Amino acid sequence: SGFRSFNIRAMAGPTFNYILEKQFKPTELVSDWPIRSVNDIRNSTWSFQMGGGFDFLIFTIDVRYEFGVENIYSGTDNLDLRNNLFNLSLGIKLL
């Protein structure tokens, strides 16, 4: 028990993503671009993430990489869109 001044962690696992709002405001539609409306983008997808982090005193930092396992595009053309995200979190522990 007691206060630990240093901690290291690793993380990995699935993530579920749900889009709260979709916007489609092209200034000009290109004839060979398959996305025509927000209906061509799925409302939710699954991804997988992995990363690590460490704590030092009251400070915390996490680094994660998330890659999509599902195609976000739901239209009729042969297009493959996936989430690939890099996330860096910095924080201060209050409790």
Side-chain angles (χ1 to χ4, degrees), residues 12-27:
T15 61
F16 177 76
N17 303 290
Y18 185 80
I19 298 174
L20 296 176
E21 180 181 359
K22 297 186 280 186
Q23 295 183 6
F24 186 67
K25 297 179 183 180
T27 56

Side-chain angles (χ1 to χ4, degrees), residues 38-42 71-76:
V38 295
N39 296 328
D40 288 340
I41 304 296
R42 295 176 59 169
N71 191 356
I72 297 170
Y73 177 69
S74 64
T76 58

Side-chain angles (χ1 to χ4, degrees), residues 39-82:
N39 296 328
D40 288 340
I41 304 296
R42 295 176 59 169
N43 291 327
S44 61
T45 61
W46 284 94
S47 299
F48 186 83
Q49 71 171 319
M50 63 180 140
F54 70 91
D55 302 331
F56 181 70
L57 299 175
I58 64 168
F59 303 102
T60 182
I61 184 169
D62 287 306
V63 176
R64 289 188 304 258
Y65 183 73
E66 180 177 322
F67 49 95
V69 295
E70 288 187 301
N71 191 356
I72 297 170
Y73 177 69
S74 64
T76 58
D77 289 351
N78 187 20
L79 180 65
D80 190 18
L81 295 175
R82 296 174 188 270

